[in-house]
Amino acid sequence: MKISSPRIDIDNRLLAIEELFRQRQYAVAVRELSALNEKEFKLKEYEQGLYFSLKAAASYFEGNYKIALENGLKAVKLLADFSLNSCYGRAQLVLSQSYSAIGDLKNAEMRARDALASYRRGDDNVGQGDALNELARIAYIRCNYKQVLSHLDEALELVGDKPRKRAQMTGNMGRILLRLGQWDEARKYLNDTLKFFEDNNQEVSQVHNLLDLGFLQIRLREFADAVRNFNKALEKIVALGLK
């Protein structure tokens, strides 16, 4: 361990971009990050590690999963010797998401658990919620819905009164209840979550909820409403350049 305290100086530009990613303002974060150069951060390994972590997040957003993995692995190697638990956890989390995207669920779960452990060391409840949400997503891909609900219940306890995080988790809860056929409960969760994301201009999150609502409406044979929600989602997908 090269330092004993996370209270070290980090370039404010990196911290600002990290916050943009947390707020799911991906396009803005990618644009701001593209204005930075790796050479600016070579003097401090921990800043270089955070830079590569953000590059990994940007590549993941753009669908360049191979590049995301390359940058993420550089990030965790550089950050491993520092007690920046939240930064290290975030780098592991991006690696988990990237492995999941290419179908490597074994490595995805391992990295998500590493992220969770790092966030716990840093007493970062929001980070722990993110890691549990990722573990829930992996369980969802494996169709282990009971495990998904268990992870999400724990995540909801950790995020407390943070409305954006709660909305993210409850939206995922609605998605699972939809798969379990509990349609009335699913509709309530998804509608409440969509309203929050609309009120707060969280367009990427709106897309996920619109797609889920459309799928629910197909199951309920509400086809006209389903078409409207799919069209709304498609417009946002094209406008945001989502993969």
Side-chain angles (χ1 to χ4, degrees), residues 194 198 203 206-207 210-211 225-239:
L194 179 60
E198 287 176 339
E203 292 193 290
Q206 289 175 44
V207 168
L210 287 166
L211 292 173
D225 289 336
V227 168
R228 278 193 289 272
N229 281 323
F230 286 140
N231 280 329
K232 286 180 186 176
L234 183 58
E235 287 176 12
K236 293 181 183 297
I237 288 167
V238 172

Side-chain angles (χ1 to χ4, degrees), residues 10-223:
I10 298 178
D11 191 300
N12 286 332
R13 295 172 298 171
L14 295 175
L15 295 176
I17 294 168
E18 185 180 37
E19 184 59 28
L20 287 171
F21 275 117
R22 281 199 195 98
Q23 294 177 6
R24 294 191 167 193
Q25 297 184 41
Y26 301 124
V28 180
V30 170
R31 185 174 67 246
E32 294 293 321
L33 184 60
S34 67
L36 304 183
N37 190 303
E38 176 192 344
K39 294 178 181 179
E40 299 179 67
F41 309 107
K42 281 198 170 181
L43 292 178
K44 298 178 181 178
E45 285 189 359
Y46 55 85
E47 282 191 339
Q48 193 178 26
L50 179 53
Y51 172 79
F52 279 121
S53 177
L54 297 173
K55 290 287 286 184
S59 298
Y60 174 78
F61 167 71
E62 294 173 330
N64 297 323
Y65 304 126
K66 180 181 178 183
I67 304 301
L69 288 169
E70 289 175 2
N71 285 321
L73 290 169
K74 288 178 185 177
V76 295
K77 184 177 181 181
L78 287 162
L79 292 168
D81 289 333
F82 298 92
S83 58
L84 294 167
N85 294 303
S86 291
C87 289
Y88 186 74
R90 187 162 185 79
Q92 292 282 20
L93 193 58
V94 174
L95 278 174
S96 175
Q97 292 167 335
S98 301
Y99 277 120
S100 177
I102 62 171
D104 186 347
L105 297 185
K106 180 179 179 180
N107 268 315
E109 182 175 4
M110 180 183 72
R111 295 292 180 174
R113 293 194 180 281
D114 287 345
L116 180 59
S118 188
Y119 284 130
R120 280 177 173 161
R121 285 193 297 272
D123 198 26
D124 183 339
N125 284 348
V126 172
Q128 290 178 64
D130 287 339
L132 286 163
N133 191 53
E134 179 62 18
L135 284 168
R137 189 165 74 98
I138 294 165
Y140 172 77
I141 295 170
R142 289 171 167 160
C143 299
N144 189 341
Y145 298 139
K146 287 185 178 179
Q147 190 174 56
V148 175
L149 292 175
S150 175
H151 287 316
L152 290 177
D153 281 336
E154 187 178 353
L156 278 167
E157 288 182 18
L158 285 164
V159 299
D161 60 352
K162 293 178 172 58
R164 185 179 64 81
K165 283 296 176 184
R166 289 195 70 82
Q168 180 185 351
M169 305 303 173
T170 55
N172 290 342
M173 192 77 78
R175 190 168 299 122
I176 299 310
L177 292 170
L178 165 59
R179 291 334 190 246
L180 291 171
Q182 298 178 36
W183 293 337
D184 288 339
E185 290 180 72
R187 189 198 293 273
K188 182 181 184 309
Y189 275 117
L190 293 173
N191 279 327
D192 289 349
T193 305
L194 179 60
K195 185 179 185 307
F196 173 85
F197 287 133
E198 287 176 339
D199 290 345
N200 291 273
N201 199 33
Q202 300 284 316
E203 292 193 290
V204 175
S205 298
Q206 289 175 44
V207 168
H208 290 295
N209 278 80
L210 287 166
L211 292 173
D212 286 324
L213 276 170
F215 181 71
L216 171 61
Q217 287 156 343
I218 286 175
R219 301 306 298 267
L220 295 171
R221 302 184 67 80
E222 298 170 356
F223 299 121

